[in-house]
Amino acid sequence: MEGLAEAADGACEIAPRSGVAFTLDRGDRLTVIDPRGEQVADLVAYNRHDLDEVISSGRTLDYASRIYLTTGDPLYSNRSNVLLRIVEDTVGRHDFLLTPCSADTFRIIYGDTQPHRGCFGNLAAALEPYGIAPDRIPVAFNCFMNVPIDGTTGAITVAPPLSKAGDRIVFEAEADLVIGLTACSALQSNNGSFKPIHYRVDRATPPSRG
């Protein structure tokens, strides 16, 4: 798979500015690791049996009544079903407001004349084999992204991630899912540098042998 390698710790490594897609079964656990610190990973999730059901920032934040999610919090779908639940979090600051960076992001915000395809483009390419078109990519859960909000003016700031080398967030699947996951491509989100992301899937039911 493009952008994917095995890391020294036995996890899978997503190369800088790339993305992957894979499946989870209900009960599986997904650990997303920041191996070097200050690197964001965009995560999207779809119901594997009905791809029109996808994680929803609006519903999740509405039901949580806050914008910063951590251990114990569920990620709801557009149909108000729980798709993922955060079961461990060593950082405690992630974003579920901002859309995946894209070529348009880099053109409009950064003024790039030959923009990178960004997380949106990487997710689109990774999810295509699963029959998921670009227009079906939602606002991602941006692991480790630090987005302070001014409570008076509503101004949004993208600040350096609080994650340090080895920090992680662990999700448990509450449905059979298709997952898209990136190593974010935006300089501002990652404190000015591009680094890999590691992830590990722990299966609820190990495959039988023999």
Side-chain angles (χ1 to χ4, degrees), residues 3-173:
L4 186 62
E6 184 172 346
D9 58 5
C12 296
E13 179 173 287
I14 305 173
R17 304 192 98 184
S18 70
V20 299
F22 50 89
T23 60
L24 295 178
D25 294 335
R26 183 174 183 176
D28 290 350
R29 290 195 171 190
L30 168 64
T31 301
V32 181
I33 304 159
D34 184 352
R36 300 184 191 175
E38 299 188 330
Q39 174 62 44
V40 170
D42 289 26
L43 181 149
V44 296
Y46 300 79
N47 181 332
R48 201 163 79 223
H49 306 295
D50 185 349
L51 297 173
D52 287 331
E53 183 170 21
V54 60
I55 59 167
S56 169
S57 167
R59 292 189 185 277
T60 299
L61 299 183
D62 187 10
Y63 303 152
S65 297
R66 53 192 163 82
I67 61 173
Y68 299 130
L69 305 178
T70 187
T71 304
D73 285 322
L75 303 188
Y76 284 90
S77 76
N78 55 322
R79 296 175 183 163
S80 297
N81 297 313
V82 177
L83 297 187
L84 289 162
R85 189 177 301 274
I86 302 170
V87 295
E88 184 181 348
D89 180 10
T90 65
V91 180
R93 177 60 66 89
H94 314 275
D95 169 66
F96 207 7
L97 292 175
L98 301 186
T99 192
C101 62
S102 65
D104 288 328
T105 302
F106 300 129
R107 178 179 59 83
I108 294 169
I109 295 179
Y110 293 91
D112 293 353
T113 56
Q114 295 181 311
H116 188 273
R117 68 183 185 179
C119 286
F120 183 86
N122 288 330
L123 287 168
L127 292 167
E128 183 179 13
Y130 294 91
I132 298 170
D135 284 344
R136 298 168 85 179
I137 295 173
V139 171
F141 184 85
N142 300 307
C143 305
F144 315 125
M145 191 172 183
N146 183 15
V147 182
I149 309 295
D150 186 305
T152 300
T153 66
I156 295 173
T157 304
V158 178
L162 301 181
S163 54
K164 297 179 173 57
D167 273 332
R168 65 191 179 275
I169 180 170
V170 184
F171 304 88
E172 183 165 315

